[in-house]
Amino acid sequence: MVPLEPILVSVGLMFVIGLSCLMVKRDMVRILIGVEILFNAANLCFIALSTQVPGFVDPYAHSMVMMAIVLDGTVIAVGLAMVMNVYKHYKTIDIRKLRRLKW
Amino acid sequence: MSKMARYGNVAAAFTIVLALLVFSWLSVGVDFPVFEFVPETLRRQLVPVEPYDNIAGLSSRFLWDNRALDLTGQAFVIVASVVCCLALLKLGEGKH
Amino acid sequence: MVEVISQGINLPLPLLVLLIGGLTSLMVGLLSERIGVARLREVWMIIVSSATIISIYYLNQSVQKAGVIVISVWGQLPPFGGCFEIDTLSIFMSGSVAVLGFLVAIYSISYMEKESRLTEFYTLMTFMMAGMTGVVMAGDLFTLFVFWELMGLSSYVLVAFLKSRWGPIEAGFKYLVMSATAGAFLILSMSIIYGMTGTLNFAAIADSLRGAPTSPWIMALFSTLVVGFGVKSAIVPLHTWLPDAHPEAPSPISAMLSGIVIETGLYALARVLFLTFDPTMLKLPIAFLAVLTMTLANVMALLQSDIKRLLAYSSIAQVGYMLVGLAAGTAYGFMGLFLHVFNHSMMKGMAFLASGSIVHETGTRDINSLRGIGKMMPVTSISLFIALLGLGGVPGTNGFISKYHLFSAAFGSGLGWLGIMGVLNSALSMAYYIRIMQVLLGSPKEGFKANEAPILMLTVTMAMAVIIVILGIWPAPLISFASSASQSLVEGLSTYIGAVLG
């Protein structure tokens, strides 16, 4: 039985780290790393909640996480292919050089 | 940096700090209602923690025994992502 | 009254047609490069989409007989196994997807004929339609998430399809980052639901979590659900990807995105919020979001000079009107919501297709330089005129009927101020539609020439204009279908739960 509060606080912290990495960094690959941090935080929340019955582990949450990891891996792969196309156009992957990308 | 971008950054930073405060109050101050609302008809299949090496094997058996539909859908997502990468990385004939 | 199919492997028939059609579309594309037959891929796409419409018709027959159909594979019943649960609402939404997909497929035969990588285009369009059909038929939250990712993944690349210009790729990247963040919030909300109930099945959640008293964790769940589904449905302030993504996508894909992908996000939001929470809890937050969405989108649309960007802001405003129906929370409100979903797909889809014809012929998207186009492309301009009248809610078109139902549902459920705001915003939106109509009817400058659009594009826009006018004058069959769809959501809740939990 793992205590729940520390893990929930670290999930919240990882969300904040991921969101600020997404908004502050100027390199496109680092923005995608921020998205990946967000996905990992959400999966950690699932695993933390699966251990709450004393002495047992719920395999339902583990199956969800195994499938969610594959799904977000594909999204990041397509994002990296887009970054390659941006490099072909602009010869840089600095997001501040893109003309209309206003957050 | 333009004015809009600066206001946007300040608003975003403020939102993030607010979200952090709310989430930490939530997780530490209020107890998470763990499994409070389990419906009575649910007979749960749990895996004992003790032989640690077995957890992975029993979890993957649970996955294949109960979630075959989602695995089929996931196979199609992987095919779709391969087609997506092909569409993005193929050289078109000439430039339009 | 319910039917459970669970032996062997089976999927709902429209979904099976679309998934197998997508796989074979890949092979047909590779084959057509070897053989050299000209239009094989397009013909296969039309065959697949018409087969989808026919299979939805057959599925409708069995759903009318059975009430609710539950489909799962290899005997893995809920509440642990993933399942599809099909009621009249699923048939309504997947019918909208199939009809719009069929019309867009015919249009894109002549719009995309000079592009490269057409195999991937048609395959991804089929997979996007398959993902949408899977979302509306899902009976389990994780099944919905898997098909949600399928739909989203195809649409990221379809937005960035014309990759030889910088605009689509930038818009596609921004769309991908915002939508992937929303996916992470969705997984977080699924974990909170799992932590409270131990299962992710819709019927089990509706059985146990629905009447729970409001506590801070329930409000946290509500906010993460709204963020997770709201980025795809373009709710303000999560809408910032839309004014960049819709103009930069190729016109048939813009029509599908604005017409039906946004509405699938709204369907998922409506279904999950209705099944997890009490409708009385939803009224004020959703009403606030609706007013914010409508007002901001209408104000921003007045400032635009690019025709497709103006139509994109208009889509956000229409989502605001649909949120009014969600805020009402009654069966009448939901009926207005789903009726407006179908009508908006026809009207906005046709507006994007007609302006796509104009852009295809003249090569510019700027409204001020398109003055006088009505004399040179008369048929397209008449269709665009009818679509704009419908979007503004003029009586005689189907837009008026659905907006009337939405706002009277708001009045009827105690949110009178929301109905008044809706009517005012609808009147405000006519201002920018009249601006486009003035440009269409003006007199051209010298040296401005454009031909009429090719015959296939003309046929599709005329057909959709005829549908809009017919549904405006004789709306009774569509209203009764939408009414039975919303009744199966609201009043059929006990049937829905009983189908799974016995």
Side-chain angles (χ1 to χ4, degrees):
Chain A
M1 169 103 182
V2 180
L4 191 57
E5 277 86 10
I7 301 197
L8 281 184
V9 169
S10 48
V11 165
L13 208 57
M14 275 176 80
F15 256 94
V16 167
I17 291 176
L19 278 175
S20 45
C21 175
L22 189 59
M23 296 194 191
V24 167
K25 293 292 178 180
R26 72 168 76 163
D27 201 351
M28 276 185 171
V29 180
R30 294 191 182 155
I31 291 181
L32 285 175
I33 290 180
V35 172
E36 187 70 30
I37 295 179
L38 286 176
F39 275 127
N40 284 342
N43 292 338
L44 180 63
C45 193
F46 248 120
I47 297 286
L49 287 168
S50 79
T51 60
Q52 290 309 302
V53 179
F56 289 95
V57 158
D58 198 358
Y60 190 70
H62 290 231
S63 335
M64 300 290 132
V65 167
M66 278 194 253
M67 286 191 274
I69 292 178
V70 170
L71 289 173
D72 15 274
T74 60
V75 169
I76 300 287
V78 171
L80 285 172
M82 279 195 201
V83 171
M84 283 182 65
N85 269 316
V86 169
Y87 184 74
K88 242 189 264 182
H89 268 286
Y90 286 95
K91 299 290 180 284
T92 170
I93 46 179
D94 189 348
I95 209 170
R96 293 173 197 182
K97 301 281 193 313
L98 295 177
R99 275 164 249 182
R100 272 194 306 182
L101 209 65
K102 299 188 274 287
W103 291 105
Chain B
M1 210 187 304
S2 75
K3 245 197 202 167
M4 274 285 286
R6 209 179 315 148
Y7 285 158
N9 275 349
V10 166
F14 184 69
T15 322
I16 289 183
V17 169
L18 193 64
L20 177 63
L21 287 176
V22 166
F23 197 82
S24 19
W25 169 72
L26 257 186
S27 47
V28 176
V30 180
D31 282 330
F32 188 85
V34 180
F35 295 135
E36 240 178 57
F37 298 100
V38 176
E40 293 86 26
T41 56
L42 198 68
R43 28 144 206 80
R44 310 182 54 188
Q45 303 172 359
L46 296 174
V47 163
V49 172
E50 263 322 292
Y52 269 141
D53 311 330
N54 272 352
I55 297 183
L58 288 171
S59 287
S60 65
R61 181 180 303 176
F62 182 91
L63 178 64
W64 279 102
D65 279 343
N66 282 293
R67 283 272 149 188
L69 186 62
D70 298 338
L71 287 170
T72 318
Q74 189 173 302
F76 280 104
V77 172
I78 297 181
V79 168
S81 81
V82 168
V83 174
C84 284
C85 290
L86 268 181
L88 278 178
L89 297 173
K90 245 191 195 178
L91 298 167
E93 297 102 40
K95 288 207 178 281
H96 292 281
Chain C
M1 248 321 247
V2 298
E3 189 182 329
V4 179
I5 306 175
S6 71
Q7 295 310 315
I9 184 164
N10 37 27
L11 294 168
L13 193 57
L15 189 62
L16 192 68
V17 167
L18 281 168
L19 285 174
I20 303 288
L23 282 181
T24 49
S25 187
L26 255 181
M27 293 185 240
V28 162
L30 290 173
L31 196 65
S32 97
E33 278 169 31
R34 295 300 174 85
I35 305 184
V37 176
R39 299 301 187 107
L40 201 58
R41 305 175 188 118
E42 288 91 341
V43 169
W44 185 247
M45 176 82 199
I46 301 219
I47 292 178
V48 165
S49 39
S50 32
T52 313
I53 298 184
I54 297 176
S55 60
I56 289 182
Y57 179 70
Y58 280 124
L59 191 62
N60 190 21
Q61 311 283 70
S62 21
V63 167
Q64 298 295 357
K65 239 186 328 199
V68 174
I69 302 183
V70 175
I71 296 182
S72 55
V73 298
W74 284 314
Q76 301 165 0
L77 286 176
F80 282 128
C83 67
F84 287 107
E85 193 161 350
I86 309 177
D87 54 357
T88 317
L89 180 59
S90 315
I91 301 285
F92 185 81
M93 291 293 301
S94 56
S96 309
V97 170
V99 167
L100 189 65
F102 177 66
L103 290 167
V104 164
I106 299 182
Y107 181 89
S108 62
I109 293 181
S110 76
Y111 189 87
M112 303 284 299
E113 63 184 346
K114 295 199 191 61
E115 300 290 334
S116 61
R117 297 162 293 143
L118 278 180
T119 315
E120 281 87 6
F121 182 80
Y122 289 113
T123 311
L124 286 174
M125 202 156 103
T126 314
F127 274 133
M128 188 164 81
M129 284 167 63
M132 286 190 269
T133 312
V135 164
V136 303
M137 290 188 180
D140 186 270
L141 252 177
F142 202 77
T143 311
L144 194 146
F145 183 69
V146 168
F147 284 104
W148 178 267
E149 288 295 314
L150 180 63
M151 166 178 99
L153 199 65
S154 320
S155 63
Y156 306 150
V157 173
L158 284 175
V159 165
F161 195 72
L162 303 171
K163 65 185 172 79
S164 53
R165 290 178 46 238
W166 56 272
I169 298 194
E170 185 181 323
F173 184 75
K174 189 174 176 184
Y175 178 28
L176 186 144
V177 166
M178 289 188 75
S179 211
T181 311
F185 272 96
L186 257 184
I187 300 182
L188 182 70
S189 68
M190 284 199 288
S191 71
I192 297 180
I193 291 184
Y194 166 75
M196 290 198 220
T197 55
T199 174
L200 283 178
N201 197 325
F202 279 156
I205 297 173
D207 196 22
S208 54
L209 196 54
R210 194 147 191 264
T214 310
S215 75
W217 277 107
I218 300 274
M219 295 309 291
L221 175 65
F222 177 72
S223 5
T224 45
L225 272 177
V226 166
V227 169
F229 286 122
V231 166
K232 232 2 161 344
S233 341
I235 302 181
V236 173
L238 306 160
H239 70 289
T240 47
W241 58 274
L242 201 148
D244 287 329
H246 280 49
E248 301 293 342
S251 288
I253 299 299
S254 282
M256 276 202 88
L257 275 180
S258 246
I260 203 70
V261 171
I262 300 182
E263 277 83 1
T264 306
L266 208 58
Y267 159 85
L269 185 69
R271 176 80 86 169
V272 174
L273 284 183
F274 187 75
L275 287 173
T276 321
F277 303 107
D278 228 356
T280 53
M281 199 180 98
L282 306 176
K283 273 194 183 165
L284 282 178
I286 303 262
F288 173 66
L289 282 175
V291 168
L292 191 62
T293 310
M294 288 191 281
T295 318
L296 195 107
N298 278 327
V299 166
M300 290 296 290
L302 288 169
L303 307 170
Q304 299 301 319
S305 67
D306 177 347
I307 189 171
K308 283 175 82 169
R309 207 171 156 100
L310 191 146
L311 287 174
Y313 272 112
S314 159
S315 288
I316 305 180
Q318 303 283 336
V319 166
Y321 302 144
M322 293 182 217
L323 282 175
V324 168
L326 182 59
T330 57
Y332 193 47
F334 280 107
M335 175 185 107
L337 181 117
F338 294 117
L339 194 63
H340 200 59
V341 162
F342 182 71
N343 289 338
H344 180 244
S345 76
M346 285 289 122
M347 295 185 297
K348 190 48 74 62
M350 203 262 275
F352 265 111
L353 293 180
S355 52
S357 309
I358 294 180
V359 170
H360 187 245
E361 291 303 318
T362 60
T364 170
R365 290 200 319 236
D366 190 18
I367 293 186
N368 300 326
S369 58
L370 285 174
R371 180 170 293 276
I373 196 85
K375 297 199 171 42
M376 290 176 255
M377 304 175 70
V379 180
T380 312
S381 306
I382 293 179
S383 324
L384 187 57
F385 201 82
I386 294 179
L388 293 174
L389 286 180
L391 285 169
V394 170
T397 56
N398 53 5
F400 171 71
I401 306 245
S402 52
K403 280 191 190 173
Y404 169 74
H405 283 296
L406 278 171
F407 298 142
S408 59
F411 280 119
S413 77
L415 293 169
W417 55 276
L418 190 63
I420 295 180
M421 289 293 298
V423 172
L424 285 176
N425 270 303
S426 202
L428 178 64
S429 71
M430 270 318 276
Y432 52 84
Y433 293 136
I434 288 184
R435 196 170 134 219
I436 305 184
M437 292 190 226
Q438 264 179 344
V439 163
L440 286 180
L441 298 174
S443 56
K445 294 199 270 281
E446 321 77 60
F448 184 46
K449 277 204 62 59
N451 303 326
E452 186 59 85
I455 187 75
L456 274 176
M457 302 206 260
L458 273 186
T459 319
V460 171
T461 46
M462 278 306 291
M464 288 172 92
V466 165
I467 291 178
I468 288 177
V469 172
I470 288 183
L471 284 178
I473 301 178
W474 184 50
L478 189 65
I479 291 185
S480 72
F481 196 22
S483 168
S484 61
S486 77
Q487 269 169 4
S488 75
L489 174 69
V490 173
E491 289 152 22
L493 188 62
S494 47
T495 319
Y496 194 83
I497 298 178
V500 170
L501 295 180

